[in-house]
Amino acid sequence: MKKSFSTLLLLAALSSSAVVFTTSCSSDEPIVEVPSQNVDRENLKGEVQSGQHLILESGTYKLTGKLEVKSGGKLTIKPGVIVEATKFVEGEEIRYIAVAQGGQIFVEGTKEAPVVLTAVDKVQQAWGGLVLCGRAPINPGATATAEVSGLVYGGTAANDNSGSLRYLRIEYSGYAYSSTKEFNGLSMFGVGNGTTIEYIQVHEGSDDGFEWFGGTVNTKYLVATANEDDQFDWTEGWNGTNEFWYAKEATSKGNRGIEADNNANNHLANPISNPTIKNMTLIGRGDTGSEKQAIKLRVGTKGSFDNLVLSNWGVGFDVEHNEGIGYVVDGSLKATNVRFDNVVVKSKGTRTVPAGSAQGTIGEVADVSRVFTEKADATGAGAGTATPEWAKGWTVGL
């Protein structure tokens, strides 16, 4: 009978004939490479400990519980590998992959052979998702605890490196413990800008596609499709530079293109969320009600956007709270070269009015039309509302 990989890691470490030694990223400690033949493809779960390097070489692996990369550990997933979460019943361990502070993951997919993290049941909430926890700055405090993995995140290392993700699809994620504790597709908690995030799709998740909780990580070539809540979401002081985002809601579900926050408890908490995003297309499902916003900006976030296409939304830009209104006025919250396609209201603003709490409540209309400038031929993610060339060949649902 095969053992789970966590047991085999220990056995491999004790057998010099079964390991390969390389140099650790964080110290001179040798890294023990776990031979692929020692991994039970039908029972992938456990912990990759410090000094251990788990490599998923080819084919399909069944994720039967939590797979956690501890500090000093590494997980590498080779081109074309499929990790498929098995069906679980109440009382079993939730299936998800998490990388702790100091751990690293290397997804080495290609356009021709992307890595796929999926589930046996092709439905939303079939499993958790992928969680990265780094040591970059956040604004709830010096550090915090991630809501869905219990791992610590945050710190002072803006250039922290959690590894590299390239040509990766994440499907059918978003398991919910409760209405306030739910996995996203890719959750980035305090992830640093030494990490590479490129050519990633999150498809058919039950919560957000991508969410940033502080950190400084930069991204390129992100695709979010048919996720139940927001396609992109940030909070807790995220600052990153980003290019080429493409999002498309399903015809029957989806909330916003972007939901953007700074800190709900302290709108002025530092660092203030302030990402830069260029070349983005957000396509709604055609529901043009006032609560269907392409971009919701609230609780003190800043941001700089350029070359956007917003299609099939009730509202283009919805700015809430006095801090956000002020950032529109001073130019630290702005979008240039925006093309609106079937958007009923281009911008909407609501001020905070006193209501007995530190943050007040929402209740006074404000003019935020200065938040955007228009350009009729803006290309967005590359092809207007059409699927851009860079997103073809490795994605689904487009």
Side-chain angles (χ1 to χ4, degrees):
M1 174 182 282
K2 291 184 178 178
K3 300 179 176 65
S4 68
F5 91 84
S6 54
T7 302
L8 286 160
L9 283 171
L10 178 59
L11 295 176
L14 296 174
S15 172
S16 61
S17 62
V19 300
V20 175
F21 293 98
T22 60
T23 302
S24 169
C25 289
S26 57
S27 70
D28 292 331
E29 176 187 7
I31 295 291
V32 178
E33 183 176 301
V34 182
S36 58
Q37 64 268 24
N38 285 353
V39 180
D40 186 348
R41 290 178 176 273
E42 301 299 317
N43 188 27
L44 180 64
K45 64 179 180 178
E47 295 181 346
V48 183
Q49 299 287 346
S50 178
Q52 298 171 339
H53 185 186
L54 175 64
I55 302 176
L56 306 184
E57 291 282 359
S58 62
T60 299
Y61 297 81
K62 300 294 186 180
L63 184 67
T64 57
K66 174 182 70 174
L67 176 59
E68 183 176 314
V69 184
K70 309 292 279 187
S71 180
K74 289 184 180 182
L75 169 64
T76 294
I77 309 179
K78 294 294 186 178
V81 166
I82 298 172
V83 178
E84 193 172 51
T86 59
K87 187 173 183 177
F88 62 89
V89 297
E90 194 69 29
E92 287 187 342
E93 186 176 43
I94 304 306
R95 286 79 161 118
Y96 67 93
I97 299 174
V99 181
Q101 287 184 324
Q104 290 187 310
I105 180 172
F106 298 91
V107 173
E108 299 178 348
T110 66
K111 181 177 181 179
E112 297 74 23
V115 169
V116 181
L117 306 182
T118 187
V120 171
D121 286 351
K122 307 303 183 188
V123 296
Q124 294 179 338
Q125 291 199 58
W127 68 298
L130 177 58
V131 178
L132 307 182
C133 293
R135 296 190 175 110
I138 60 174
N139 67 28
T143 61
T145 302
E147 62 184 10
V148 289
S149 64
L151 295 172
V152 173
Y153 67 100
T156 59
N159 64 346
D160 193 43
N161 185 351
S162 295
S164 174
L165 308 180
R166 298 190 83 250
Y167 285 106
L168 167 66
R169 283 206 320 267
I170 302 171
E171 305 171 346
Y172 309 110
S173 59
Y175 176 83
Y177 292 99
S178 67
S179 61
T180 59
K181 186 178 179 182
E182 187 172 4
F183 285 93
N184 304 294
L186 177 58
S187 300
M188 292 161 278
F189 291 89
V191 177
N193 60 29
T195 309
T196 298
I197 306 286
E198 296 180 355
Y199 297 101
I200 315 295
Q201 180 185 20
V202 179
H203 179 65
E204 283 274 10
S206 67
D207 195 26
D208 303 320
F210 298 84
E211 185 160 6
W212 294 260
F213 297 83
T216 56
V217 66
N218 307 317
T219 71
K220 291 182 180 180
Y221 306 111
L222 303 187
V223 178
T225 48
N227 297 293
E228 181 73 25
D229 196 11
D230 311 309
Q231 306 309 308
F232 304 101
D233 193 328
W234 68 75
T235 186
E236 297 187 2
W238 175 49
N239 284 260
T241 299
N242 311 271
E243 295 183 84
F244 298 105
W245 288 8
Y246 185 81
K248 189 174 184 179
E249 291 191 330
T251 57
S252 61
K253 55 196 169 189
N255 191 9
R256 303 180 177 110
I258 290 176
E259 181 178 280
D261 298 340
N262 182 44
N263 184 305
N265 297 316
N266 177 5
H267 297 184
L268 297 176
N270 284 304
I272 291 175
S273 296
N274 190 17
T276 297
I277 302 168
K278 298 181 179 180
N279 311 321
M280 176 175 70
T281 295
L282 302 175
I283 302 175
R285 67 174 190 262
D287 183 341
T288 54
S290 62
E291 294 305 310
K292 301 305 176 184
Q293 306 107 343
I295 303 177
K296 179 85 164 185
L297 302 157
R298 64 186 187 185
V299 299
T301 188
K302 298 181 180 182
S304 177
F305 305 84
D306 183 57
N307 186 26
L308 310 187
V309 173
L310 308 180
S311 178
N312 291 340
W313 300 98
V315 179
F317 296 88
D318 190 338
V319 182
E320 287 187 352
H321 301 101
N322 291 349
E323 296 82 3
I325 305 299
Y327 297 148
V328 172
V329 173
D330 70 21
S332 55
L333 180 58
K334 61 182 179 181
T336 53
N337 301 311
V338 181
R339 172 184 163 192
F340 296 96
D341 171 58
N342 191 32
V343 176
V344 177
V345 177
K346 293 179 179 178
S347 65
K348 172 186 174 183
T350 319
R351 294 184 182 277
T352 313
V353 296
S357 70
Q359 302 301 330
T361 190
I362 297 297
E364 184 177 293
V365 175
D367 180 4
V368 293
S369 57
R370 292 173 58 182
V371 74
F372 68 86
T373 64
E374 293 189 64
K375 186 178 181 183
D377 60 350
T379 56
T385 57
T387 303
E389 285 299 316
W390 58 262
K392 295 179 180 179
W394 58 278
T395 57
V396 295
L398 295 176

